Amino acid sequence: MKNWEDIRFFLAVADSGSLSGAARTLNVDHATVSRRINSLEKSLSSKLIIRNTRSCSVTPLGERVIIAAKQMENASFAIDRLALSAQHTVAGKVSISAPPVLVTHILAKYLNTFYQRYPEIHLHIVSSATLASLSKQEADIILRLARPNDNNDVSRKLGNIPFAFYASNDYTHKDNPKRWNFIGYNDDFAKMPHAKWITSIAGNRPIVCSLSDITSQIEAVKTGVGIGSIPRFIGDDDSKLVRLACSEDVYSPEVWLAVHADMRTSPVLRIVLNFLTETINQHILSS
């Protein structure tokens, strides 16, 4: 009988491509990863990983083991989900993955409201621009500005978030679109739909600075360096910003909530999902 922990460490090395990368993912030291890999290879009497100076490669046998190991991993996650969904209590920890703009400007603001209603539920919120995996239990609930496409997810569209262009109150060219300078995204996020949209609207007009997230872009707009594309629920409430008239179609991404299909009947998740839906509808979609 193989040790599941050894197999889990092997998958982490295969996914990251190095022992150090797996150590960071698993939050352990390099020696622990090495020891787990040695243990698995010894139990199989076979080499699974070829270790190089800075990276690791998987042997042909290791590639076949990965397929079986991922099936074991998925089954392990499925057992956990089934157990959680069968619980009838409304207490415990619920993990939510959401884009930074929604975490900063919505979820964090209404944590106390949620806590006053449900003090036995602990919300663990991860601010991330990347999509978390519900199947791998990286989150219990995901909130995204595009439809999740995992076949195991049950998703629901809440609506659309209207954006607009904003400038600081003293921006010199706010009434002259031909002289607008734009604030965009840095290269790491250049392929995002919002980043592409800003670039297309700017056209031949300059993008004078690039930042990684909307919250930082808002602060840049306030300096007067240029204009930014900002959700209306944020921009309209900020006295230091003025919404600009724009003849182009507005950017209006969809808002989606998703849970794993195995967890859709969980009472505690239903409470959190209903609260997120209520909060978003009231404070974002009504803007």
Side-chain angles (χ1 to χ4, degrees), residues 2-266:
K2 302 298 175 288
N3 188 319
W4 164 243
E5 282 297 289
D6 291 348
I7 296 172
R8 188 169 71 90
F9 274 65
F10 165 66
L11 284 176
V13 173
D15 286 342
S16 66
S18 68
L19 297 183
S20 58
R24 287 192 296 270
T25 299
L26 298 169
N27 197 27
V28 297
D29 57 43
H30 184 282
T32 300
V33 178
S34 181
R35 185 172 65 252
R36 288 289 188 179
I37 298 300
N38 289 339
S39 173
L40 179 60
E41 291 181 332
K42 183 177 180 180
S43 70
L44 295 172
S45 300
S46 300
K47 199 73 173 173
L48 301 179
I49 295 289
I50 299 174
R51 309 180 196 194
N52 300 312
T53 305
R54 294 186 177 181
S55 64
C56 294
S57 58
V58 181
T59 67
L61 173 62
E63 295 287 357
R64 293 162 61 191
V65 171
I66 287 173
I67 296 172
K70 285 189 178 295
Q71 293 174 343
M72 292 176 63
E73 182 182 51
N74 291 335
S76 175
F77 289 141
I79 291 170
D80 289 341
R81 289 193 302 270
L82 290 172
L84 288 171
S85 65
Q87 294 177 0
H88 298 292
T89 59
V90 289
K93 186 177 83 169
V94 175
S95 175
I96 304 168
S97 174
V101 63
L102 297 186
V103 173
T104 301
H105 297 278
I106 291 294
L107 301 189
K109 288 186 176 181
Y110 294 97
L111 280 176
N112 190 48
T113 302
F114 182 87
Y115 175 75
Q116 295 303 320
R117 292 188 198 175
Y118 310 106
E120 299 301 317
I121 300 176
H122 172 80
L123 295 183
H124 177 77
I125 301 175
V126 178
S127 175
S128 175
T130 59
L131 184 62
S133 170
L134 295 173
S135 296
K136 294 184 177 181
Q137 294 182 321
E138 294 174 351
D140 299 311
I141 297 171
I142 56 176
L143 182 62
R144 280 292 172 263
L145 301 185
R147 183 172 189 169
N149 55 12
D150 192 315
N151 292 332
N152 293 319
D153 297 349
V154 176
S155 56
R156 175 174 48 166
K157 179 183 174 182
L158 301 184
N160 294 72
I161 299 181
F163 278 58
F165 281 115
Y166 290 83
S168 64
N169 290 317
D170 57 356
Y171 182 61
T172 306
H173 307 299
K174 61 176 177 285
D175 296 320
N176 186 358
K178 291 182 179 180
R179 300 196 64 184
W180 285 351
N181 291 334
F182 289 78
I183 295 168
Y185 286 87
N186 60 27
D187 292 343
D188 291 339
F189 299 94
K191 294 183 179 180
M192 287 176 28
H194 190 206
K196 291 181 178 179
W197 182 83
I198 292 172
T199 301
S200 69
I201 296 298
N204 294 325
R205 292 169 293 186
I207 295 178
V208 293
C209 64
S210 304
L211 298 103
S212 62
D213 62 276
I214 291 175
T215 301
S216 300
Q217 291 171 7
I218 292 170
E219 295 306 309
V221 170
K222 292 178 183 179
T223 69
V225 68
I227 70 168
S229 176
I230 300 169
R232 283 174 47 180
F233 78 89
I234 300 173
D236 288 353
D237 276 350
D238 196 321
S239 61
K240 295 181 180 179
L241 300 175
V242 58
R243 194 201 301 181
L244 304 176
C246 184
S247 59
E248 290 87 353
D249 292 337
V250 297
Y251 183 69
S252 186
E254 297 176 342
V255 188
W256 288 81
L257 269 177
V259 297
H260 194 281
D262 292 345
M263 298 296 292
R264 58 184 166 184
T265 59
S266 166

